[in-house]
Amino acid sequence: MRIRIMLIAMRIWSIALLAFCLNGTVHAQASDPSAGARQLWQLIDYVAVDYGGAVEHGAVASESEYAEMLDFTDNAVKQAAGLPPHASQGAVSAAVADLRAAVMRKADAADVKNLAHRANALLIAAYPIPVAPKALPNLARGASLYAAQCAACHGAAGHGDGALAATLDPKPIAFSDAERAQSRSLMALYQVVSQGVAGTSMASFAALPEADRWDLAFFIGGLSFDAAARARGEKLWKDHPALHAQFPDLAAVTTLTQEAIAARTGMQTAHDLTAYIRSQPAQAERQKPSGLALSRARLAESLAALHAGDRAAATKLGLSAYLDGFEPIEPVVGARNKSLLAAVESAMLAYRSAVAGGDVAKADAVGRELAQLFTLVEAELGDAKADPMTTFVGALTILLREGVEALLIVIGIVAFLRKAQRKDVLLHVHAGWIGALVAGVLTWVAATYLVTISGASREVSEGVGSVFAALVLLSVGLWMHQKSSAGRWQEYLSGKLSAAMTRKTAWSLFALSFIAVYREVFETVLFYSALAADGNGGALLGGFIAAVVLLAMIGWVLLRSSARMPIGKFFSFTSGFVAVLAVILIGKGVAALQEAGWVGVTPVSFPRIDMLGLLPTAETLGSQALILAILLAGFGFNRFFAARRVKA
């Protein structure tokens, strides 16, 4: 009964983990917690854009539009009060209240616009919401979507003169209106497309994929500009590199209005530059720092936030310095200089620990250490191509290192089933590791041609997989040691074990085999992708083949030795071996979750031994100590009760 309960639990956890690993993220089942902030942002932005048509020179120019402004700001005040608790919620509510008061006293349009922009800036800082597409927009796709979904009302050229326009009240917006477009951002257009506008015929297009809605927003945002403006903007972009700073990344393209740019460059320059960059957003994305440049930038921003007393922002930026900047190049660094990689990782953990503790002096010191390490990394990666021997050794050691862990677990399961004389269940185990290899190939295809696997996704997948495998191995090790201590393996194998090997057990072993292999394949794929960039294809293939041959030899030796070993000795040895693996994997799992920002970091004085999962942090060592204590206690109890049964 105990083994059946344990294996059923294994199956449940396996299914959950498989879904997590293959999808790369956990989708929320409940309503989107940022929906309220997004709607509030839209209300405020709508006031910023349309208030000028409601009030002129302190007098109401349009009763209907002014009533709309009052209604929108009233709702904005209520929504600001209902935002989730946050240290800046009071500031957001106060800014919205100031906006409401300005509208009520019929303030100048420029003042209202400034108050609206200030409120939205505070809102986004406190309640981060997506402000840019995840990938570069497709303007051709946006044009076809506009023709199919929007032209009937807004007109083919965006003049608000579509076939249905005459029947609508209020009339559709003319997207080609240059004056109105000056104060409208692409993010505002995206929000309108996504949520619609209450009280108008503008319906929500939330059913469209997010990428399609961004494509629409970018296309619509260019309707107020002509080809001549785009051509002038292109010339400005090429002739005046200093203007690139106006659009450092895609988020700036989506959030900045033409008016905001004009305040820094002049209206004509802002008009032409905006026209060009909205038609060629890839130009802005090329300005975005990446790799070590991004790490340095995020680290500087993190230190500035820490000095300003904003520990939450400093923590977030420090994590981004690793996950968004350094982690993508980590496989290359690890393949060329493993010790340098370990030094950077340790310093990153020490930095996040200093930030978490509010130790500004220590954070500054570790920041300087990281700057020196980044310089060493740049020198290490200075040559565009590593020599073939480095690639060969890297390919060999990476696959051998990752493969041995998976091989030991799978061989242990296979040997166990052979001793139990359940060769029929072996099919599920073999299907598990073969399926993991196939999933690894698909992962390589996806990582190479389809998507970029983020650093957070990688670390979380590896961490959760390692922790899960460690917990399963812990329970298996204790159970095997109990039977070994009882000294009645033959009786157990011929009786209870056969009955316990149900269909559910078989699928649980499939899941364990799959996860044990896939977590290692996942890591290997990322490292091999980095090595492939060096161009030494022959050396890479040679290292791969050599590692496969060595793994096959190791597997053969393990199977042969386990087959010849007496049953009692085999399970006694295997229970100890499984226990050691559990301790190693829990350390590696917690370390990966630390790098993903899921677990805190408390450095301690202790040697770092990556092979054993030993890292100098209280969390990793504490988790390993806990698992080790459970194992020792379990083994002790097993021997105690076995001795009592012998005396009886």
Side-chain angles (χ1 to χ4, degrees):
M1 176 62 71
R2 290 176 62 185
I3 183 174
R4 295 184 68 180
I5 293 174
M6 179 188 72
L7 290 172
I8 288 171
M10 285 166 52
R11 185 184 182 214
I12 293 172
W13 279 101
S14 300
I15 293 171
L17 184 62
L18 284 172
F20 177 85
C21 291
L22 294 177
N23 284 303
T25 185
V26 178
H27 297 284
Q29 299 296 320
S31 58
D32 184 356
S34 66
R38 285 204 307 268
Q39 190 174 54
L40 176 57
W41 190 96
Q42 183 184 356
L43 285 172
I44 295 171
D45 186 78
Y46 201 90
V47 172
V49 175
D50 282 18
Y51 179 81
V55 175
E56 292 180 4
H57 308 298
V60 175
S62 170
E63 291 290 347
S64 61
E65 289 196 26
Y66 184 63
E68 190 176 51
M69 295 298 102
L70 290 174
D71 180 58
F72 281 177
T73 52
D74 182 53
N75 282 324
V77 169
K78 295 175 182 176
Q79 290 205 24
L83 287 170
H86 188 278
S88 300
Q89 183 188 6
V92 174
S93 294
V96 174
D98 290 343
L99 175 64
R100 166 73 173 172
V103 171
M104 292 183 68
R105 68 172 181 267
K106 305 180 184 63
D108 183 72
D111 294 336
V112 169
K113 191 173 297 183
N114 289 334
L115 288 170
H117 289 160
R118 176 175 175 273
N120 266 346
L122 290 170
L123 178 65
I124 290 177
Y127 302 93
I129 58 178
V131 297
K134 297 174 182 176
L136 286 173
N138 184 335
L139 271 71
R141 172 67 176 162
S144 63
L145 286 168
Y146 180 85
Q149 305 284 352
C150 312
C153 297
H154 295 280
H159 298 315
D161 57 355
L164 301 178
T167 65
L168 301 177
D169 184 24
K171 300 299 181 186
I173 289 175
F175 294 126
S176 59
D177 184 343
E179 183 177 353
R180 190 185 184 94
Q182 291 176 10
S183 56
R184 184 186 296 117
S185 68
L186 294 178
M187 182 185 169
L189 290 169
Y190 171 78
Q191 296 292 352
V192 170
V193 169
S194 299
Q195 301 184 36
V197 180
T200 74
S201 57
M202 179 61 200
S204 166
F205 286 89
L208 288 175
E210 180 183 337
D212 284 357
R213 283 176 271 145
W214 276 114
D215 293 344
L216 257 177
F218 268 81
F219 177 78
I220 292 170
L223 288 174
S224 61
F225 305 105
D226 57 21
R230 286 188 282 272
R232 292 193 300 271
E234 181 178 12
K235 190 173 189 306
L236 284 170
W237 186 265
K238 291 179 177 178
D239 294 347
H240 302 281
L243 291 174
H244 296 182
Q246 303 301 325
F247 297 102
D249 53 29
L250 199 57
V253 179
T254 59
T255 57
L256 293 177
T257 63
Q258 182 182 322
E259 283 183 340
I261 299 298
R264 301 193 291 260
T265 66
M267 184 56 72
Q268 186 61 50
T269 297
H271 175 270
D272 296 342
L273 201 59
T274 304
Y276 171 67
I277 208 66
R278 288 187 179 182
S279 67
Q280 299 292 332
Q283 295 297 326
E285 196 68 355
R286 291 193 182 104
Q287 311 305 311
K288 186 177 179 180
S290 60
L292 292 177
L294 180 59
S295 287
R296 283 193 170 98
R298 291 288 182 270
L299 201 60
E301 293 168 4
S302 176
L303 284 169
L306 184 62
H307 280 275
D310 191 346
R311 197 183 302 178
T315 299
K316 182 179 178 181
L317 290 164
L319 188 61
S320 176
Y322 174 73
L323 291 177
D324 300 325
F326 182 76
E327 208 276 346
I329 64 172
E330 179 183 293
V332 183
V333 180
R336 297 192 182 186
N337 191 330
K338 185 68 177 177
S339 61
L340 180 57
L341 170 61
V344 174
E345 288 180 335
S346 296
M348 285 286 193
L349 290 174
Y351 177 78
R352 294 208 296 274
S353 174
V355 171
D359 191 336
V360 179
K362 184 177 180 181
D364 283 336
V366 179
R368 289 191 293 272
E369 179 187 352
L370 279 168
Q372 295 173 353
L373 288 171
F374 289 160
T375 300
L376 294 177
V377 171
E378 287 174 333
E380 188 69 40
L381 304 181
D383 296 331
K385 182 177 179 180
D387 65 272
M389 182 54 68
T390 300
T391 301
F392 174 84
V393 173
L396 172 64
T397 55
I398 288 165
L399 182 54
L400 199 60
R401 185 186 71 219
E402 303 296 338
V404 165
E405 275 187 19
L407 184 65
L408 291 174
I409 295 174
V410 173
I411 292 297
I413 299 173
V414 170
F416 166 77
L417 293 174
R418 285 185 174 180
K419 291 287 186 182
Q421 299 177 1
R422 290 304 307 267
K423 294 183 179 180
D424 55 315
V425 183
L426 279 172
L427 294 175
H428 291 77
V429 177
H430 291 314
W433 68 262
I434 292 172
L437 294 179
V438 173
V441 172
L442 295 177
T443 301
W444 174 79
V445 171
T448 304
Y449 300 107
L450 302 178
V451 298
T452 299
I453 299 176
S454 71
S457 295
R458 169 188 165 182
E459 300 297 348
V460 170
S461 297
E462 182 181 349
V464 174
S466 296
V467 170
F468 170 79
L471 295 178
V472 171
L473 290 173
L474 170 66
S475 59
V476 170
L478 289 173
W479 173 74
M480 294 179 75
H481 186 266
Q482 179 195 35
K483 301 307 173 185
S484 172
S485 299
R488 292 184 284 182
W489 266 107
Q490 196 62 51
E491 175 188 345
Y492 187 81
L493 289 174
S494 61
K496 294 182 180 180
L497 186 57
S498 295
M501 288 294 174
T502 63
R503 187 176 183 83
K504 292 180 179 179
T505 301
W507 282 111
S508 296
L509 293 176
F510 164 85
L512 181 57
S513 175
F514 179 93
I515 293 169
V517 175
Y518 181 72
R519 63 176 292 276
E520 307 297 347
V521 171
F522 182 79
E523 185 81 1
T524 303
V525 163
L526 296 177
F527 274 92
Y528 267 56
S529 296
L531 287 174
D534 286 328
N536 297 316
L540 181 65
L541 180 61
F544 173 81
I545 293 173
V548 169
V549 171
L550 288 174
L551 288 172
M553 293 172 62
I554 293 171
W556 181 81
V557 171
L558 289 174
L559 284 173
R560 292 278 293 179
S561 59
S562 63
R564 295 176 179 178
M565 194 178 296
I567 292 176
K569 186 177 180 182
F570 168 76
F571 282 105
S572 179
F573 170 79
T574 306
S575 62
F577 164 71
V578 166
V580 171
L581 273 182
V583 173
I584 293 173
L585 288 178
I586 196 69
K588 290 187 174 183
V590 172
L593 294 177
Q594 285 179 320
E595 291 177 348
W598 281 33
V599 175
V601 180
T602 308
V604 296
S605 179
F606 198 86
R608 174 175 179 141
I609 308 176
D610 289 317
M611 184 181 297
L612 299 180
L614 292 172
L615 280 89
T617 73
E619 292 77 11
T620 53
L621 295 174
S623 64
Q624 288 180 311
L626 177 61
I627 295 295
L628 185 59
I630 294 173
L631 285 166
L632 292 176
F635 285 7
F637 279 120
N638 287 341
R639 291 193 178 280
F640 173 75
F641 286 113
R644 289 190 60 179
R645 280 196 297 270
V646 171
K647 291 180 180 180

